Amino acid sequence: MPSSAVADDRPLLVIYTGGTLGMVETEWGLAPGGDIATRLARALDALPPGRGALLPRHEVLAVDTPIDSSAATPSDWSHLAGMIAARHHDHAGFVVLHGTDTLAWSAASLAYQLQGIDRPVVLTGAMQPLEAPGSDAADNVALALRYAANPALQEVAIAFGGRLLRGVRARKWHTRDAEAFASPNYPLLGERVGDDAVLYPSRGLERQQRGAPRFELANYAGLDDGGVARIALWPGISARQLDTWLTAPALKGALLEVWGGGNLPDDPDLLGVLARASGEGKLLAAISQCPHGPITPGDYAAGQGLATAGVLSGDAMTPEAAFTKLVHLLAQPLPDAERRRRFLTPLVGERL
């Protein structure tokens, strides 16, 4: 389905948060550059006619202090969601310009916070700055604008390298490649075919009904300082090491990355640490260290202990989607049983 028509005459909003796309060369290396609206317009005007023609009307808003995305925190995610929610009725869709390092993390978090969004929210960035020779920046922004103008897209997505990916299914896969993002366990939502931005509507979230979206704009500030941990198991991990992580005073939840289909060492002390943390109300979940496929705890004897210890299955979720979901649930005043139920429930297409 081509992304040609906008449902109404409201402009798109482009929100610039920072990242390589807006940087400029200095004697000390790449650094954030100013006047992003003028520079972006110049770069889009220089695109080949087929790519740059008829781009939808848009406005540009830059955050007060652009950041390198590697410095982003949960508070930045909630601030960005608040910016979009506050302007939701003023724009037909949104494009977020973001650094690539944690772009998938922000996309996943926005999806949970903006549940029920009835228009596109498309994140993009670049591997090279706007003015760099051969830069991918203008192409990525043009693609994001075209998808953000398509009212059939009603979710948070990532447009990058000619492809459109679901925000809660995407990961940064390459450090330098122009097709830097992959969707290991879900097909593409769309892709560029020639000069057209094709959307595959059967792969998107169901079209939202009229009415107010069910945004969940929780305050994430309390989880900035170690509220949720990401712990990848390694051969030889001890109960003492795991206990050090899980008994940290600030910790409220943890994502465990286990082996294969959901295996971990058959160590009673290790399982005891997990069971004790879960019993104390800490929200624990597990995914596989393998990028493809779900975990199915219980297929092997080595995985039986996860469920027994109260660790929730993350199915085939990406680390970004699972981690940001834990943050989102823990930031809300929910009973423990409801948090656990919601983690196991697909909210925005993040799990099977």
Side-chain angles (χ1 to χ4, degrees), residues 56 60 69 89 98 148 155 164 169 188 235 238 290 292 304 307 310 315:
V60 179
S69 73
H89 295 295
H98 196 289
E155 59 180 287
L164 187 73
R169 291 287 190 157
L188 298 176
S238 70
C290 301
H292 294 269
Q304 294 283 353
D315 193 61

Side-chain angles (χ1 to χ4, degrees), residues 129-149:
L130 278 167
E131 291 85 3
S135 173
D136 58 335
D139 259 346
N140 284 343
V141 175
L143 185 68
L145 284 167
R146 296 187 70 181
Y147 278 121

Side-chain angles (χ1 to χ4, degrees), residues 77 105 108 112 171 226-234 237 242 245-246 251-258 274 277 282-289 295 306 311-327 330 343 351:
W77 301 335
W105 297 78
Y112 298 128
R171 305 195 66 188
V228 179
R230 177 183 176 186
I231 307 171
L233 273 62
W234 64 88
I237 186 173
L242 188 60
W245 282 98
L246 297 183
L251 189 85
K252 296 181 179 179
L255 176 64
L256 306 173
E257 295 185 22
V258 299
L274 294 174
K282 295 181 177 179
L283 192 60
L284 307 182
I287 59 172
S288 179
Q289 294 182 17
I295 66 166
L306 279 176
V311 179
L312 302 172
S313 169
D315 193 61
M317 294 171 70
T318 65
E320 297 86 346
F323 185 96
T324 55
K325 191 171 186 179
L326 290 175
V327 169
L330 287 164
F343 185 86
R351 59 183 296 153

Side-chain angles (χ1 to χ4, degrees), residues 13-310:
L13 181 63
V14 178
I15 302 175
Y16 171 64
T17 67
T20 298
L21 180 147
M23 291 186 174
V24 294
E25 286 282 359
T26 72
E27 58 182 302
W28 303 282
L30 290 174
D35 197 14
I36 190 67
T38 300
R39 295 168 56 214
L40 182 59
R42 188 185 305 124
L44 292 174
D45 286 344
L47 284 171
R51 295 276 173 91
L54 303 178
L55 286 178
R57 188 165 62 97
H58 58 276
E59 301 170 354
V60 179
L61 173 66
V63 299
D64 293 337
T65 306
I67 64 168
D68 187 302
S69 73
S70 62
T73 67
S75 286
D76 292 315
W77 301 335
S78 58
H79 177 65
L80 182 55
M83 291 178 67
I84 294 171
R87 297 163 175 81
H88 174 257
H89 295 295
D90 301 327
H91 300 279
F94 297 85
V95 170
V96 178
L97 307 183
H98 196 289
T100 61
D101 284 346
T102 62
L103 189 150
W105 297 78
S106 293
S109 179
L110 287 176
Y112 298 128
Q113 296 180 79
L114 301 175
Q115 290 179 51
I117 189 78
D118 58 357
R119 63 207 62 193
V121 177
V122 184
L123 287 81
T124 194
M127 305 306 287
Q128 301 177 67
L130 278 167
E131 291 85 3
S135 173
D136 58 335
D139 259 346
N140 284 343
V141 175
L143 185 68
L145 284 167
R146 296 187 70 181
Y147 278 121
N150 190 330
L153 178 64
Q154 297 191 353
E155 59 180 287
V156 178
I158 295 172
F160 208 98
R163 303 182 297 173
L164 187 73
L165 303 84
R166 172 164 291 164
V168 284
R169 291 287 190 157
R171 305 195 66 188
K172 186 176 180 183
W173 214 243
H174 298 279
T175 61
R176 295 182 181 274
D177 197 287
E179 292 184 0
F181 289 85
S183 181
N185 294 299
Y186 197 78
L188 298 176
L189 297 181
E191 57 192 320
R192 184 168 50 217
V193 179
D195 289 325
D196 198 10
V198 176
L199 182 70
Y200 304 128
S202 63
R203 300 175 183 178
L205 292 178
E206 290 187 10
R207 192 173 179 86
Q208 304 299 328
Q209 300 301 314
R210 290 189 177 184
R214 53 185 187 277
F215 292 170
E216 294 182 358
L217 302 175
N219 184 353
Y220 289 179
L223 296 164
D224 276 347
D225 188 19
V228 179
R230 177 183 176 186
I231 307 171
L233 273 62
W234 64 88
I237 186 173
S238 70
R240 175 185 57 78
Q241 290 168 314
L242 188 60
D243 187 64
T244 299
W245 282 98
L246 297 183
T247 57
L251 189 85
K252 296 181 179 179
L255 176 64
L256 306 173
E257 295 185 22
V258 299
W259 292 295
N263 299 325
L264 73 169
D266 184 16
D267 179 349
D269 291 336
L270 197 70
L271 293 173
V273 168
L274 294 174
R276 184 164 59 253
S278 181
E280 291 171 352
K282 295 181 177 179
L283 192 60
L284 307 182
I287 59 172
S288 179
Q289 294 182 17
C290 301
H292 294 269
I295 66 166
T296 50
D299 282 1
Y300 291 86
Q304 294 283 353
L306 279 176
T308 303

